Structure formats: C-alpha cells, structure tokens
Amino acid sequence: MRPRPPLPVLLALGIAAGQPAVSTAQAGNSADGLTGRWDITIQTPEGDQPSWLEIRRSGASALVGQFVGTAGSARPISRVEAIGDALHFAIPPQWEGGQGDLSFDGRLRDGRLSGTLQLPDGRQQ
C-alpha cells in the first residue's frame, strides 16, 4: 500500500507560527505497532482535547479503523495507508465546518503516534 506523498506542513512537528500543535497518542496494543486503540490528545489553541483512533486489519493486508475527533461521533475509516512508520487516513466531514476531508498524517516512533490533523476547513491541529 502506498500513501500519498505527505504535504510538508502536515508532518511538521512542534508548533509552527500561528498553527496548533501536533496531536499525539499513547502506544497501541499490537505487535505490528499500528493496530490497536490509541488514546489521543489533540492540542488546540483552546486547550487539549481527548480523542481516539482504532486501527485494525481487514483481510490479509488492508488496514481500516475508526476515529473520534473533537466534533461528532466515531467515524469509520475505510482505508488507512501505511508504509514503514508513516500513516495517512482521510474521512468525510461530519460536524466540522468546511468542504474538504478531515485527514491525518503521522508517524509511529518509539511506541508513540504523532502527527497532524487537517480539518475540512483547512485548519490544522
């Protein structure tokens, strides 16, 4: 499976000028590293917000999942793209403003998942 080439700003770690900080998660619970349930803290200008991500295998090699962000309910992820320690998923908006997808680009390092959410209105968290 090949993820789309990541946008440079989506993988920027830390706080960029005027941008919310990167979301982070605690270690998953599977031997292959990415599968399992991740408790996520989304760092926003208004403060930290709880969230979660679940990634599981579907068939021999596909990854699927569910995501709960700062708005809405658990949403299915039909495809999680992963190569090495990098992953990407995108889902349609639910209650967020904007016309684009909600997308996540991240990396797994030392048992921790870190990355950036891009909201449907183009803002990043």
Side-chain angles (χ1 to χ4, degrees):
M1 212 173 354
R2 290 188 159 211
R4 292 182 283 198
L7 297 174
V9 293
L10 292 179
L11 292 179
L13 299 178
I15 300 175
Q19 294 296 325
V22 175
S23 60
T24 60
Q26 295 180 339
N29 58 11
S30 178
D32 68 55
L34 287 174
T35 60
R37 174 106 175 226
W38 298 83
D39 292 321
I40 298 173
T41 299
I42 299 176
Q43 300 166 342
T44 73
E46 294 81 30
D48 291 352
Q49 302 291 318
S51 177
W52 59 263
L53 167 66
E54 182 179 270
I55 299 173
R56 64 186 181 282
R57 294 219 173 266
S58 176
S61 62
L63 294 174
V64 298
Q66 293 186 90
F67 176 75
V68 172
T70 58
S73 57
R75 295 183 252 183
I77 304 168
S78 62
R79 182 176 171 154
V80 176
E81 299 169 344
I83 291 184
D85 64 354
L87 75 133
H88 169 83
F89 69 82
I91 53 179
Q94 190 175 48
W95 296 105
E96 304 88 1
Q99 299 299 312
D101 285 342
L102 182 147
S103 64
F104 176 79
D105 285 283
R107 294 201 176 275
L108 178 65
R109 288 199 178 113
D110 299 324
R112 294 183 60 83
L113 182 61
S114 298
T116 302
L117 286 173
Q118 180 151 341
L119 300 176
D121 65 4
R123 290 180 299 135
Q124 295 177 0
Q125 295 183 327

